[in-house]
Amino acid sequence: MTHTANPGVVLGEGSWSGNRYAARHAPDRPHVSDTRLRAIPFSEDETGPSARELQSRIGNSEGDRIAVLEQIRDLVRDLPVAAGEAECVERISLLEDIKSAASSAQMRESVQLRTLRLAHEAAAGVPASKRGKGLGAEIALARRESPQAGSRFLGVAHVMHSDMPHATAALREGRLNEFTATLLALQVLPLPSATCRAVDEALLAQYGNLGTKRLVDTARALSNQVDPASQIARYDKARSERRVTIRPAADGMSFLTALLPTTQAFACKKSLRDA
């Protein structure tokens, strides 16, 4: 892919016109050999190209898109440290935005993987009850986490993109991070779509303005108000999953953990204290 005009956006060498760090750090950037990124020109607009313009210039093939993601990854990996304190803080903020954008993109890809897999298996005659088996484990492998965590991420991605468009936009724009978005989605995950959308709409002005705990508590209170019957069903389901687990700790110790209804938990603590 060759461009002869406006040789501006050279992510490995040349000028970073339009970038907030252009004047300060262009000489220090790592070299990038992939011409799909190095040859992307700036438009005549001094602010540089939009993300959409860049996407249109890097090619539409699967190989092109994957190669671009690999180069972006390498650029972030090898980014030289900032020279001043203010820039350090700004970079930390920008990198947090990048993490949120990446998490949003992972959710989109997970939802798309699910859609494609279910369609493929339906066309192949796989019974509905068996479609999508193992998807959580595949996502977990790609994200380098446990199968349980992969399945949870798939569930969160599905509810975010199906029923929480405002939260999804906030994650993509960096007003939420993956941790907060996950806790929010888990609050509404078992609820009907209409309830999820109502909670999401009510929280629109709060995304980016409330801390994680207050935002999750507000989501829980709103869901209780919007659909109290569903909350009773959630309580009954949670109560049916009560359990006691044990896991080893260091120096011959262990963690004894009990997930119990609140009244039973206090009764157990009192009995232990009395004993």
Side-chain angles (χ1 to χ4, degrees):
M1 166 176 166
T2 303
H3 297 279
T4 57
N6 300 327
V9 174
V10 184
L11 297 187
E13 54 194 39
S15 170
W16 266 8
S17 304
N19 186 284
R20 71 181 70 197
Y21 303 124
R24 288 177 287 177
H25 294 284
D28 297 327
R29 287 188 314 282
H31 176 75
V32 178
S33 60
D34 194 309
T35 57
R36 278 180 288 264
L37 283 178
R38 292 170 56 241
I40 299 172
F42 271 141
S43 64
E44 294 299 330
D45 183 351
E46 64 178 339
T47 61
S50 67
R52 190 177 300 278
E53 288 173 330
L54 290 177
Q55 289 171 353
S56 70
R57 296 172 185 175
I58 61 178
N60 294 316
S61 73
E62 179 181 346
D64 280 341
R65 293 192 295 267
I66 290 177
V68 167
L69 287 175
E70 289 173 342
Q71 293 299 320
I72 292 171
R73 175 201 63 197
D74 293 343
L75 283 168
V76 173
R77 279 178 177 173
D78 299 331
L79 185 68
V81 294
E85 294 181 13
E87 187 178 341
C88 285
V89 173
E90 189 174 8
R91 286 192 183 195
I92 291 169
S93 178
L94 282 170
L95 289 167
E96 191 64 25
D97 288 346
I98 291 170
K99 285 164 59 180
S100 293
S103 177
S104 176
Q106 277 191 329
M107 289 186 183
R108 291 198 306 271
E109 297 297 337
S110 297
V111 171
Q112 175 71 348
L113 174 62
R114 180 178 183 271
T115 300
L116 294 172
R117 180 64 55 78
L118 294 181
H120 174 78
E121 291 180 344
V126 177
S129 61
K130 295 184 178 180
R131 294 173 197 165
K133 295 290 186 182
L135 269 175
E138 289 183 50
I139 292 171
L141 183 62
R143 280 171 50 90
R144 302 174 184 86
E145 59 189 7
S146 70
Q148 181 181 6
S151 295
R152 184 182 67 177
F153 183 81
L154 178 59
V156 167
H158 179 71
V159 74
M160 287 279 287
H161 281 265
S162 298
D163 301 324
M164 302 187 76
H166 299 310
T168 297
L171 176 64
R172 183 176 63 250
E173 296 162 7
R175 289 180 285 124
L176 293 179
N177 59 30
E178 182 180 315
F179 176 72
T180 302
T182 298
L183 293 182
L184 279 174
L186 292 175
Q187 284 300 313
V188 301
L189 189 57
L191 303 179
S193 291
T195 302
C196 298
R197 289 182 173 272
V199 172
D200 185 50
E201 185 71 32
L203 288 173
L204 173 58
Q206 306 302 330
Y207 293 142
N209 294 318
L210 289 182
T212 298
K213 185 178 186 305
R214 286 188 61 192
L215 194 61
V216 173
D217 288 346
T218 303
R220 184 183 302 113
L222 285 169
S223 60
N224 286 337
Q225 294 172 12
V226 172
D227 195 344
S230 293
Q231 295 304 311
I232 294 172
R234 283 183 64 178
Y235 170 78
D236 289 340
K237 181 177 183 298
R239 191 172 184 278
S240 71
E241 295 173 348
R242 61 192 185 276
R243 58 190 179 273
V244 177
T245 58
I246 188 168
R247 59 189 175 91
D251 303 321
M253 306 296 285
S254 292
F255 293 100
L256 179 66
T257 305
L259 179 64
L260 302 170
T262 301
T263 53
Q264 293 181 11
F266 274 102
C268 287
K269 184 174 182 179
K270 182 179 184 302
S271 295
L272 288 170
R273 186 174 60 244
D274 292 346

